[in-house]
Amino acid sequence: MTEQRERRSYDQQCGLAFALDVIGERWTLLIVRELLLRPRRYRELRDVLPGIGTNLLAERLNYLIEVGIIEPVDANRRTAGYALTKFGEQLREPVLAMARFGLALLAERRVDPRAGVRRASWAVLAAEAMVHPDRVRADETYQFKVDDEQFHVTVDTGKVRTRSGPGIQPILTIETDTQTFFDLGSGTTDPVEALLSGSVTVIGPPAAVPRCLFLLGLGADPGLRAKPLVSCAGKSPTKSGE
């Protein structure tokens, strides 16, 4: 009997049920989350998924390869790591939608956001879930450093892209720690208070700050503001037309 046949199934003629038969098991979507960020080696996956057993991780990876969601980076070297296939990349939007729902649920239920494990790398996917193209107000790049993780959000001709690593000529550079970032995302910390307290530091034109906050869903439409939200380090105040 094959591994796939041994697995439990909802046995329903429904697209959602079919999907859950493959990705609905514990840990599977979290493995996908990590590979949405970047290819990962087995040891890296084990480190960023505390609590998963080594045998279970190996079994999940083998099954995801079998169904075509992930593939070895180098088929000749098992230690080279794993990456999503083009088919697996189709899970990006469903995962982002669930991340948005999770952030809303966290805020609604007022769950203690400090409970549980936190990773700076998860901020990349959180930011991608938070941005919305309907909130674009300018073509520009915002660079983030959350503890030791760098990523950037770029708006180009109205399209938004979130990627790991430093951005090219960012208009803003935002620095904070992992806990503060997730407190902001869950709505338990006010962005203005975070800026004023110094738990978030920003370098760049003050006029760009409300545009960035609005894009992330953390502030009001800057078109409705009469003046910049707050002054930022390293730049003098700019004109409202910036």
Side-chain angles (χ1 to χ4, degrees), residues 1-7 66:
M1 185 176 292
T2 66
E3 179 66 30
Q4 188 169 357
R5 288 177 182 172
E6 290 174 355
R7 291 175 176 274
E66 179 185 335

Side-chain angles (χ1 to χ4, degrees), residues 25-191:
E25 291 183 305
R26 183 172 170 82
W27 296 107
T28 299
L29 275 179
L30 297 186
I31 293 171
V32 170
R33 175 195 66 191
E34 294 304 319
L35 298 181
L36 283 170
L37 298 173
R38 63 178 72 93
R40 296 278 199 184
R41 296 175 184 269
Y42 178 88
R43 180 173 293 181
E44 291 176 315
L45 286 169
R46 190 182 61 191
D47 290 344
V48 297
L49 297 171
I52 191 170
T54 56
N55 290 340
L56 181 58
L57 175 57
E59 186 273 333
R60 293 287 191 269
L61 291 171
N62 288 334
Y63 181 64
L64 290 173
I65 291 172
E66 179 185 335
V67 295
I69 290 176
I70 71 173
E71 61 187 355
V73 172
D74 184 343
N76 296 319
R77 292 193 305 123
R78 293 179 61 87
T79 58
Y82 304 88
L84 289 174
T85 62
K86 289 184 179 179
F87 180 59
E89 273 287 342
Q90 295 181 49
L91 286 167
R92 180 175 295 275
E93 283 307 316
V95 168
L96 291 175
M98 283 187 283
R100 294 183 195 105
F101 178 79
L103 288 171
L105 187 65
L106 184 62
E108 181 70 23
R109 296 181 62 188
R110 301 185 183 278
V111 177
D112 182 4
R114 296 174 184 271
V117 178
R118 293 172 297 278
R119 303 282 184 188
S121 61
W122 299 341
V124 185
L125 206 63
E128 190 172 358
M130 291 162 66
V131 300
H132 196 286
D134 289 346
R135 297 196 291 263
V136 166
R137 291 297 176 265
D139 284 0
E140 51 198 14
T141 295
Y142 312 115
Q143 181 167 298
F144 295 82
K145 184 177 181 183
V146 180
D147 286 330
D148 58 352
E149 186 76 22
Q150 285 194 75
F151 63 95
H152 60 279
V153 177
T154 297
V155 181
D156 185 12
T157 61
K159 296 181 180 178
V160 189
R161 185 184 68 183
T162 305
R163 292 291 183 270
S164 296
I168 299 174
Q169 297 183 327
I171 192 170
L172 291 180
T173 299
I174 302 109
E175 237 181 282
T176 189
D177 61 272
T178 303
Q179 185 61 62
T180 298
F181 185 87
F182 285 102
D183 286 348
L184 289 167
S186 66
T188 56
T189 292
D190 180 78

